[in-house]
Amino acid sequence: MGALTREELAGLYQRRFGMVYQICLVLMKNVPDAEDAAQTVFRKAVERPEPFRDPEHEKAWLIVTARNECKNQLKHWWRARRVDSEALDLLVWEQPQDQGVWEQVAALPKPHRLALYLHYYQGYTTGEIADMLGENPSTVRSRLAQARKKLKLKLEEEGYGQA
């Protein structure tokens, strides 16, 4: 094992699995692939030779690693042969709370989904998200604005929240 003991790994897993899994689910759009990606992220955490500096470093590292792992899995050659992209769009994105909202969030383009999740569900500022993703803060703000607009239109079409 790397720098983490079994107890440290168990603590890290308990503290951060939900967040890592949600990121993977947002990007992968299906439960089995999200579970595989989240497992790989924690394997990489075990293999890390040095400890995390602090809880924020731990959280940021896990977010970036989850994003990169999902990107790598999505662009892998076997995935393109396994199923076509239209079939992926038809998969049900399982989320226990607010299913209607989550379905619409899942339908957003990948960069919009991740920015929305990190900002609204993890509480990061646009500057922090930009640093994590290696992007310009104005790009992140633009994606958030576009995502909110698309989400609002879709939810209004669905009649979500109307009595």
Side-chain angles (χ1 to χ4, degrees), residues 58-73:
E58 171 188 283
K59 188 175 181 182
W61 185 90
L62 288 168
I63 289 170
V64 170
T65 303
R67 175 184 149 248
N68 290 342
E69 179 59 30
C70 291
K71 279 175 59 177
N72 289 341
Q73 285 189 21

Side-chain angles (χ1 to χ4, degrees), residues 27-28 69-76 79 88 110:
L27 295 172
M28 302 302 287
E69 179 59 30
C70 291
K71 279 175 59 177
N72 289 341
Q73 285 189 21
L74 287 168
K75 71 181 177 182
H76 198 277
R79 186 173 178 89
L88 286 176
K110 235 177 296 185

Side-chain angles (χ1 to χ4, degrees), residues 26-44:
V26 163
L27 295 172
M28 302 302 287
K29 294 176 85 173
N30 72 72
V31 171
D33 288 342
E35 289 171 348
D36 288 346
Q39 180 180 10
T40 301
V41 170
F42 282 95
R43 181 186 47 79
K44 289 179 179 185

Side-chain angles (χ1 to χ4, degrees), residues 125-138 140:
T125 66
T126 54
E128 291 169 331
I129 295 169
D131 287 343
M132 278 185 256
L133 303 181
E135 296 175 349
N136 190 313
S138 64
V140 173

Side-chain angles (χ1 to χ4, degrees), residues 80-130:
R81 296 182 190 279
R82 188 176 64 170
V83 67
D84 69 333
S85 61
E86 289 178 15
L88 286 176
D89 292 336
L90 298 175
L91 291 172
V92 175
W93 193 53
E94 296 178 22
Q95 186 55 243
Q97 69 272 21
D98 260 348
Q99 185 71 27
V101 174
W102 276 107
E103 287 173 358
Q104 296 306 322
V105 170
L108 292 171
K110 235 177 296 185
H112 294 111
R113 287 194 310 260
L114 186 56
L116 204 69
Y117 176 76
L118 291 174
H119 185 67
Y120 290 106
Y121 293 91
Q122 289 300 316
Y124 283 102
T125 66
T126 54
E128 291 169 331
I129 295 169

